[in-house]
Structure formats: structure tokens, C-alpha cells
């Protein structure tokens, strides 16, 4: 820590054109030293263009996933079978909107506005997690999403709380804290079904059967095929490899499934005493790449609904902006493209 | 993208009485009144606060990271501003 | 239908207040994933959650909340027709919020000040509802005094829902309220908000010309049957199951 701070004092800064003048190699060296020392990179620090681009891509994809991810669960809000479950589900879907918002804010510190990012989502130039292209066919799917999808997401996200980019790491701390109830409610929901009537039990098993493999795919392609992984690890945006996190998730889920009284749909799943891990069957990566390409069961539907909500809301956003322009001249000047506290 | 984009606001929350407001995050809102309400809904929905400030992000003047050294380094060599600088004989109390 | 939970709680009144909150919460829940901005997703969900909380407390006073919510037929619901009206565009939702939250706020303030069985509940609800009312007023102003389009949409929404507002002031058995005074305060407040929003108080009758009655008598509008069908189907498909 101290050494990196000392090294940063070497940053060239004398002239007015900061960040571009001076020796680029020196900037790079200061950046590398900060990352190596586990310091956080903050918005106005110099950073390599590729680092910035990687972060924007990853944070945007994460934000998009939160807001597209509202859809499969919101699909059951109006049909939730008890008022208690309905309140829980509404609160959860609301959290997802909030998490999307935190993440868009983090992305905005890198100089890309939320509108630009939404534009890229709507035009298909940026992705969201493929898991949300699967349908929620029964109530039990709400439980399976909570247990497996949120479980996988948390496994991915906890290390991101230590990500090298400050605003992203801070957003993840808040998100992880708030999400701790998401996975538990899913597990509890499935447990109630598993221990309920035979029809309910079958509903729960069916949901787990359909969500298990897509959840494993959430960790991304195997390490040797992952195009961004190595560089992200070096930059400490990513802290563990895809396969490492996937293995951790499987090891966590197996005993949890047993307690639920449900089985995981993998005949090859077995404990390997020597490795101290569960072995599991081959993932169908063909399906993964197909869904990613846009051929999943709900790709079209999710994006269409998202765009419709945005387009139908345009007149509301315009009205509020027009009202503000009429009545609060001062706030109009508070443009979105300038710097703010989080960019300091 | 368009002129109707809502501006960015920074949100500061006092988590309980006796503490100062700390930066909680940011959001978009068309004006101060809605910014305050959105902040309430977003950043205090789990009972995290008793008071909120919202500030247009554009109104904040920030020190540059490149000015960090002239800004902050001179403060580092004045240890006599800290109580630990002084040696007090053992046994002397209430100092 | 259900036994009274407590001899002192008037069932009709608990159902009227509880069903209002339950049904409006459901309608607001339909916005999830469709709101005009992310910030508004969070705001609408907050209001829906407050209302659902109120509904659960009220229904639990007079029976099992889930039995009451999921197993009653349409005719047994005592909510206002206003709250069951479909969301429409954002202007319709805001007009519905304005009319209802102003009413609910004035009503709960009066109940909270009294010493009836609903006083403790109303004392908590009145704070939540004050916020809902503020939210509706803020948005009414922005839509009414925003763009030409938003003004016209808001005007139409206020007019379309106007005929559901008379029913709010029909006396509810078991609520000790000066309904006429409540109504005049409501009119005054709504007129003031509309005026600030450069809108005018809609003309036309405030009740439908139908002698069968309205929501408080269990007579509802067509969209309500569909809403209940969706809300109740899963629960009813598994009789006796726990969730």
C-alpha cells in the first residue's frame, strides 16, 4: 500500500493537459503498481483504455442483467400464491431495479451515460446474462431462480466486492448485502414446495431440473475458451477463474439439494474424495452459445418488453424534464456529463 | 443522447442522528424534489437513513487526482498536529 | 365467509379498507418491469409494498389473509371500483394514485385521531400514505405542466377516472367518519393540486348511473374479474396447500 502510494508520487502532472501529457509508460507503471498493491483505481485516475473498456462492458452487462432479470420473476408477481410470497417477490424485483441503478451509476463514472448504455442494450450491442432468456413456467421457477441463479450470481459477485475498480467494488458491496435475502427466500420457497403436496414437490423438482444446467453456464465458458478471463484476472477485475467458481458453486449446492429433498439432474455428479470436490457431467456448451447468439427461448421477448417499457416511458421522462426546465432553471444546468463526487 | 436525459445527482445519507451525511451513491432525476424522493426510495428503503442530501453532480468541484500531491502531501510532514507526537511520562492521566 | 377475529373489529370496514389496499397493491405490482424510469420502478414498488402490508394487517384482523384474498368470489370484495381500474398509461396510474391516496390519507388521519379499532393501524398507515399522496401530487404537477402531450394525457386520465370518485364517500359501516366533511376536504385538495398542475377539475358525474351499486356493495367493473382470475388461479389450483 505504502509503496504504491509512493510510486504514485512519481506521476507526471506539472502541465495543464493532465492524463495525456507526460510519459505514457510512467502512467502505466503507476497504474500497474496500484493494482499489484491491491489499491483501488478511482474514476479520475489514469487507466489503460482497454481496462476502461473492459469495465464498461462488464458493468453494463451486469446492470442490464439486473433489469432484464426483473422480467422472469415479475412474471409471477400477479400470481404469487400467498400474500407473504407476493410481498417478498415484489421486494426482490424492486431490489433488482435498484441494483441495476447502482451499477449504471458505477458505469457512468467511466464516462458513459445510462442512456448510452440503455441504447446499446436496446440495439443489441451490449449483452445481458443469458440465464434470463429462459422462461419461468411455474411458480417453483421463482424458487429455483432464487436458489440457483441468485446463488450462482452471489458466488460470482462476492469476489467482485474486491474488484480493483472502486465504484464497481462499492456497488457490489451494497448489492451483495441486499441480495443475501434473495437466495434464502428462493431456498425457503422450494423447501415449502418440496415438503408440500406431491404436485408441489413435482413442480419444485421440475424447476430444478430446468434451471440447474443454465445456472452452471452462468459462470461462463471453460477457462481455456474464455476470451477475456486472463486479462481481467491480471487487472484484478476478476479474482477467480470461471471453472474455479463453477466448482465452488456445485460443491455448495449438492448438500443444499439434499436438504431440500430434491435431486440435481446430473447422473455423473459424484464426490471425488481425492480432489475434495464434486465431479459433474459435461455442460452442453452448444446450448450456451446458441442462447448467447439470440436463439434462446425468450431472447426476443425480453428485449422487446424492455424496449417497449423504455419507449412508452419516453413521454413521461420528457414531461418531467420539460417541467424542470420551466420551474427550476438552476437544475437544468446540472448536466449529466460533467464530473461529480463519485468521479473525484 | 437527447435533451430530455435526466441529470445525475449525488446522494448523501445520514444513517442516524449524531453522524454526518456520507455519500451513498447517485441517481438520475429531473429536478431536486424528485431526486430527494428517489433517493429516499432507493437508498433508505431498508431503514438506512434519517436524513438525505441530494446535490447535482455537476455542482461538485472535485480535486484532481493529479493535484493530489500538492494538495495533500504537505500535510503529511506535520506530525506535531497529532497527539501521538508528544511524549508524556507514564502515569500522567487525563491528557 | 369468515369469523370476526375480534368482536370489536367491524368486518365490513376491515374488508373495505383491506381490499382497497390489496387491489391497488396488485395493480401497482403489474408495473414491475414496465415503469418509465428505473427510479420510478423503485418508487412504485415501495408504494405497492406499503399497501400490501396494510392489506395483510387489515385482512388478518377479520380472518386468514390468504383465504380472504384468494378464496373469495368477486362479489365478496368490498374495494372501491377506482382501485381496480387497469393501470392504463402512467398518467392513468398517477390520476388513480392522486384520487385514492388523497382519500386514503384524509381517511386514515381521521381514523388515527379517533379511538376506534383502526386507530393504531391508521396511525402507521397515515405516514406511508402521506408519502403516496406526495408522490402522486409531484407527478400530477410534472405531467400536467410538462409537455403538451403529457398535459393532454393527464387531463384525459383525470377525466376518465372522475366518475369513480363519488363512491369513496359512501359511508362504510363501522367507520365513525364525517363523510361529507371528508369529501369537501378531498375536493378542495384535489382541486388545488390540479390547479397547480395547470389542469382543471373534470366535469361530469362522480358516480356511475347504475342503481346496482358499486364496489363497496360487491359490484365491480369488468377488468376486476380478470384481475382476480389471474391473482387467485395458482392458489386455487392447489386446494389446502401451503406455500
Amino acid at each position: 500500500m505504502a509503496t504504491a502510494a509512493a510510486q504514485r508520487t512519481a506521476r507526471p502532472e506539472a502541465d495543464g493537459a493532465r492524463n495525456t501529457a507526460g510519459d505514457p509508460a510512467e502512467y502505466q507503471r503507476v497504474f500497474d503498481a496500484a493494482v499489484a498493491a491491491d489499491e483501488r483505481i478511482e474514476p479520475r485516475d489514469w487507466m489503460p483504455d482497454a481496462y476502461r473498456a473492459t469495465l464498461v462492458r462488464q458493468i453494463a452487462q451486469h446492470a442490464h442483467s439486473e433489469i432484464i432479470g426483473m422480467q422472469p420473476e415479475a412474471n409471477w408477481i400477479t400470481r404469487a400464491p400467498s400474500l407473504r410470497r407476493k410481498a417478498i417477490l415484489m421486494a426482490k424485483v424492486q431490489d433488482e431495479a435498484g441494483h441495476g441503478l447502482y451499477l449504471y451509476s458505477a458505469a457512468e463514472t467511466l464516462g458513459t451515460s445510462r442512456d448510452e448504455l440503455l441504447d446499446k442494450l436496446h440495439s443489441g450491442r451490449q449483452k445481458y446474462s443469458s440465464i434470463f432468456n429462459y422462461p419461468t413456467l411455474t411458480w417453483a421457477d421463482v424458487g429455483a431462480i432464487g436458489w440457483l441463479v441468485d446463488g450462482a450470481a452471489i458466488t460470482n459477485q462476492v469476489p467482485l466486492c474486491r474488484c480493483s475498480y472502486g465504484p464497481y467494488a462499492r456497488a457490489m458491496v451494497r448489492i451483495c448485502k441486499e441480495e443475501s435475502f434473495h437466495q434464502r427466500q428462493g431456498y425457503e420457497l422450494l423447501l415449502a414446495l418440496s415438503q408440500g403436496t406431491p404436485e408441489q414437490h413435482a413442480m419444485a423438482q421440475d424447476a430444478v431440473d430446468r434451471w440447474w444446467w443454465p445456472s452452471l453456464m452462468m459462470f461462463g465458458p471453460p477457462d481455456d475458451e474464455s476470451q477475456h478471463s486472463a486479462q481481467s484476472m491480471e487487472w484484478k477485475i476478476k479474482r477467480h477463474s470461471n471453472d474455479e467458481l463453477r466448482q465452488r458453486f456445485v460443491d455448495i449446492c449438492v448438500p443444499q439439494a439434499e436438504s431440500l429433498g430434491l435431486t440435481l439432474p446430473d447422473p455423473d455428479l459424484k464426490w471425488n474424495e481425492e480432489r475434495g470436490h464434486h465431479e459433474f457431467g459435461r455442460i452442453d456448451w452448444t446450448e450456451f452459445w446458441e442462447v448467447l447468439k439470440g436463439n434462446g427461448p425468450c431472447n426476443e421477448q425480453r428485449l422487446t418488453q424492455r424496449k417497449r417499457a423504455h419507449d412508452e416511458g419516453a413521454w413521461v421522462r420528457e414531461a418531467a424534464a420539460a417541467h424542470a426546465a420551466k420551474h427550476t432553471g438552476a437544475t437544468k444546468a446540472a448536466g449529466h456529463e460533467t464530473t461529480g463526487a463519485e468521479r473525484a | 443522447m437527447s435533451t430530455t436525459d435526466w441529470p445525475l445527482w449525488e446522494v448523501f445519507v445520514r444513517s442516524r442522528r449524531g453522524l454526518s451525511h456520507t455519500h451513498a451513491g447517485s441517481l438520475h432525476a429531473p429536478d431536486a424534489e424528485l431526486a430527494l424522493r428517489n433517493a429516499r426510495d432507493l437508498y433508505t428503503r431498508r431503514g438506512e437513513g434519517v436524513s438525505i442530501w441530494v446535490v447535482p453532480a455537476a455542482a461538485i468541484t472535485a480535486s484532481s487526482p493529479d493535484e493530489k500531491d500538492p494538495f495533500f502531501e504537505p500535510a503529511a510532514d506535520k506530525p506535531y498536529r497529532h497527539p501521538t507526537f508528544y511524549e508524556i511520562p507514564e502515569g500522567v492521566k487525563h491528557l | 365467509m369468515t369469523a370476526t377475529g375480534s368482536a370489536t373489529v367491524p368486518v365490513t370496514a376491515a374488508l373495505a379498507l383491506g381490499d382497497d389496499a390489496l387491489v391497488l397493491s396488485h395493480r401497482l405490482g403489474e408495473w414491475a418491469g414496465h415503469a418509465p424510469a428505473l427510479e420510478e420502478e423503485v418508487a412504485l414498488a415501495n408504494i405497492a409494498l406499503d399497501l400490501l402490508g396494510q392489506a395483510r394487517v387489515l385482512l388478518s384482523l377479520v380472518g386468514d389473509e390468504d383465504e380472504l384474498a384468494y378464496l373469495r368470489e368477486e362479489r365478496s370484495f368490498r374495494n372501491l371500483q377506482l382501485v381496480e381500474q387497469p393501470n392504463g398509461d402512467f398518467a392513468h396510474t398517477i390520476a388513480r394514485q392522486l384520487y385514492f391516496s388523497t382519500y386514503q390519507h384524509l381517511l386514515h388521519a381521521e381514523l388515527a385521531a379517533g379511538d376506534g379499532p383502526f386507530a393504531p393501524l391508521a396511525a402507521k398507515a397515515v405516514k406511508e400514505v402521506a408519502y403516496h399522496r406526495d408522490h402522486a401530487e409531484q407527478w400530477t404537477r410534472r405531467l400536467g405542466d410538462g409537455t403538451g402531450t403529457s398535459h393532454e394525457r393527464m387531463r384525459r386520465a383525470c377525466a376518465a377516472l372522475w366518475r369513480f370518485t363519488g363512491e369513496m364517500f359512501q359511508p362504510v359501516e363501522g367507520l365513525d367518519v364525517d363523510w361529507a366533511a371528508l369529501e369537501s376536504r378531498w375536493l378542495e385538495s384535489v382541486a388545488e393540486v390540479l390547479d397547480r398542475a395547470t389542469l382543471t377539475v373534470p366535469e361530469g358525474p362522480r358516480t356511475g348511473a347504475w342503481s346496482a351499486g358499486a364496489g363497496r356493495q360487491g359490484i365491480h367493473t369488468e377488468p376486476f374479474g380478470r384481475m382476480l382470475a389471474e391473482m387467485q388461479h395458482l392458489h386455487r389450483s392447489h386446494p389446502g396447500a401451503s406455500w
Side-chain angles (χ1 to χ4, degrees):
Chain A
M1 180 110 174
T3 51
Q7 278 167 338
R8 277 202 214 174
T9 62
R11 171 173 295 179
E13 63 206 344
D15 58 35
R18 287 187 299 269
N19 286 2
T20 49
D23 179 7
E26 179 57 16
Y27 282 126
Q28 180 74 52
R29 199 182 62 76
V30 170
F31 170 86
D32 290 344
V35 170
D38 257 339
E39 278 198 37
R40 296 287 177 268
I41 304 300
E42 294 296 344
R44 289 175 46 167
D45 289 341
W46 181 91
M47 59 186 89
D49 290 342
Y51 176 83
R52 182 184 299 272
T54 298
L55 277 170
V56 170
R57 183 177 50 77
Q58 181 174 336
I59 301 173
Q61 172 166 340
H62 198 159
H64 299 331
S65 301
E66 293 283 354
I67 62 167
I68 295 277
M70 295 169 73
Q71 290 182 34
E73 292 177 279
N75 183 34
W76 283 93
I77 287 180
T78 54
R79 293 177 287 173
S82 74
L83 298 186
R84 175 173 175 271
R85 291 284 172 206
K86 188 170 178 157
I88 293 168
L89 186 55
M90 266 203 261
K92 178 170 191 268
V93 174
Q94 179 194 40
D95 271 353
E96 280 149 16
H99 296 170
L101 216 150
Y102 303 152
L103 288 162
Y104 284 121
S105 298
E108 282 180 287
T109 63
L110 293 159
T112 317
S113 76
R114 190 200 294 179
D115 289 275
E116 274 174 76
L117 297 173
L118 286 175
D119 223 27
K120 287 187 176 155
L121 168 66
H122 297 155
S123 60
R125 281 174 293 154
Q126 279 177 347
K127 303 260 178 233
Y128 54 88
S129 173
S130 278
I131 193 75
F132 302 115
N133 288 321
Y134 290 86
T136 47
L137 301 178
T138 73
W139 169 251
D141 290 27
V142 172
I145 287 182
W147 177 41
L148 296 174
V149 175
D150 290 328
I154 290 167
T155 309
N156 266 328
Q157 286 169 1
V158 167
L160 285 175
C161 297
R162 294 187 296 122
C163 156
S164 61
Y165 187 58
Y168 191 25
R170 290 193 286 278
M172 290 318 303
V173 168
R174 184 178 274 273
I175 289 172
C176 286
K177 212 156 81 181
E178 296 188 351
E179 275 200 351
S180 49
F181 99 80
H182 293 188
Q183 194 189 11
R184 294 187 86 146
Q185 67 82 34
Y187 192 82
E188 190 207 62
L189 190 163
L190 282 178
L191 189 64
L193 294 180
S194 179
Q195 297 178 345
T197 66
E199 291 79 14
Q200 285 178 307
H201 182 88
M203 194 194 282
Q205 184 61 60
D206 167 64
V208 169
D209 288 349
R210 280 181 291 109
W211 288 94
W212 173 250
W213 290 106
S215 301
L216 293 191
M217 296 178 201
M218 283 175 70
F219 296 94
D223 294 346
D224 46 12
E225 290 170 34
S226 176
Q227 56 174 135
H228 302 296
S229 274
Q231 179 63 72
S232 287
M233 300 264 280
E234 208 168 291
W235 279 330
K236 296 190 181 167
I237 294 174
K238 207 175 153 82
R239 298 264 179 178
H240 305 278
S241 80
N242 295 351
D243 287 330
E244 200 179 328
L245 290 169
R246 188 166 15 243
Q247 180 68 61
R248 185 181 299 176
F249 178 68
V250 171
D251 289 337
I252 290 172
C253 285
V254 171
Q256 289 178 347
E258 276 169 31
S259 303
L260 273 178
L262 298 172
T263 57
L264 296 172
D266 180 358
D268 299 324
L269 193 64
K270 63 169 186 288
W271 176 249
N272 182 324
E273 185 66 51
E274 210 173 301
R275 280 181 57 225
H277 290 295
H278 291 88
E279 285 173 8
F280 51 95
R282 252 187 53 79
I283 294 171
D284 180 2
W285 292 109
T286 320
E287 176 178 317
F288 175 82
W289 294 114
E290 277 303 304
V291 178
L292 196 70
K293 268 195 290 183
N295 300 325
C298 300
N299 298 55
E300 181 70 27
Q301 176 190 336
R302 299 283 186 247
L303 207 52
T304 302
Q305 184 188 317
R306 176 61 221 143
K307 277 192 280 197
R308 197 174 57 223
H310 188 75
D311 294 345
E312 287 178 358
W315 70 271
V316 176
R317 298 191 299 275
E318 281 159 19
H323 181 272
K326 277 189 235 180
H327 297 276
T328 49
T331 53
K332 184 69 176 122
H336 57 277
E337 66 271 290
T338 34
T339 58
E342 187 61 308
R343 298 167 184 216
Chain B
M1 191 172 75
S2 71
T3 51
T4 59
D5 295 353
W6 293 352
L8 189 68
W9 300 76
E10 300 297 339
V11 179
F12 299 81
V13 174
R14 184 200 293 289
S15 57
R16 59 187 162 83
R17 298 177 66 84
L19 297 181
S20 50
H21 289 76
T22 49
H23 187 234
S26 52
L27 50 76
H28 287 268
D31 54 59
E33 281 173 300
L34 281 191
L36 202 54
R37 284 156 180 83
N38 291 342
R40 176 259 194 194
D41 287 333
L42 188 64
Y43 290 105
T44 65
R45 69 188 188 284
R46 285 175 163 82
E48 297 96 328
V50 295
S51 165
I52 300 173
W53 292 344
V54 291
V55 181
I60 292 173
T61 307
S63 65
S64 152
D66 290 346
E67 287 160 358
K68 182 156 74 179
D69 302 331
F71 258 61
F72 306 116
E73 199 154 286
D77 66 351
K78 297 179 180 63
Y80 43 80
R81 285 191 168 122
H82 301 277
T84 46
F85 180 72
Y86 303 93
E87 278 179 38
I88 301 293
E90 258 182 66
V92 178
K93 289 181 178 156
H94 306 298
L95 248 183
Chain C
M1 172 181 43
T2 179
T4 40
S6 146
T8 57
V9 177
V11 179
T12 312
L15 291 181
L17 299 177
D19 290 347
D20 280 350
L22 176 70
V23 171
L24 186 56
S25 163
H26 184 96
R27 284 299 190 203
L28 291 173
E30 293 173 353
W31 270 104
H34 300 269
L38 271 182
E39 282 80 1
E40 205 46 33
E41 291 279 358
V42 180
L44 291 171
N46 260 0
I47 297 172
L49 282 167
D50 284 344
L51 289 167
L52 185 52
Q54 293 167 15
R56 295 180 65 189
V57 172
L58 283 157
L59 295 181
S60 298
L61 288 175
V62 293
D64 177 87
E65 60 177 32
D66 286 336
E67 271 180 40
L68 288 168
Y70 292 100
L71 300 178
R72 273 183 299 161
E73 298 295 323
E74 185 177 328
R75 284 289 176 102
S76 305
F77 278 82
R78 290 288 177 260
N79 56 281
L80 298 163
Q81 290 182 349
L82 174 68
V83 296
E84 75 203 31
Q85 295 312 304
N87 288 337
D89 64 3
F90 190 67
H92 276 77
T93 290
I94 291 301
R96 192 182 60 197
Q97 285 301 115
L98 176 70
Y99 292 164
F100 181 73
S101 62
T102 305
Y103 160 79
Q104 205 193 10
H105 187 231
L106 295 170
L107 178 62
H108 278 304
E110 189 154 337
L111 293 175
D115 56 0
F118 297 110
L121 167 123
K124 175 171 180 287
V126 79
K127 291 181 206 152
E128 296 171 348
V129 177
Y131 190 80
H132 306 172
R133 182 180 179 181
D134 173 74
H135 174 265
E137 292 179 0
Q138 295 287 343
W139 273 110
T140 302
R141 287 221 305 275
R142 279 157 187 79
L143 299 184
D145 189 16
T147 62
T149 305
S150 71
H151 178 88
E152 179 53 20
R153 281 179 184 259
M154 197 61 207
R155 188 196 63 74
R156 266 187 305 197
C158 288
L161 294 171
W162 190 242
R163 69 194 171 85
F164 296 105
T165 59
E167 191 196 352
M168 297 192 287
F169 306 100
Q170 282 180 15
V172 174
E173 191 191 321
L175 293 185
D176 183 21
V177 169
D178 182 345
W179 296 96
L182 194 72
E183 180 163 22
S184 67
R185 266 180 289 148
W186 182 88
L187 276 168
E188 197 183 321
S189 168
V190 167
E192 198 185 305
V193 176
L194 293 179
D195 185 57
R196 266 194 89 181
T198 71
L199 295 159
T200 50
V201 174
E203 290 169 12
R206 294 187 35 237
T207 48
W210 193 22
S211 57
R216 294 283 190 240
Q217 286 83 45
I219 305 294
H220 295 279
T221 54
E222 283 184 357
F224 189 53
R226 284 175 176 277
M227 194 206 100
L228 277 190
E230 183 175 346
M231 184 176 107
Q232 296 182 334
H233 111 271
L234 175 60
H235 184 97
R236 288 185 178 223
S237 302
H238 298 263
S242 357
W243 300 95

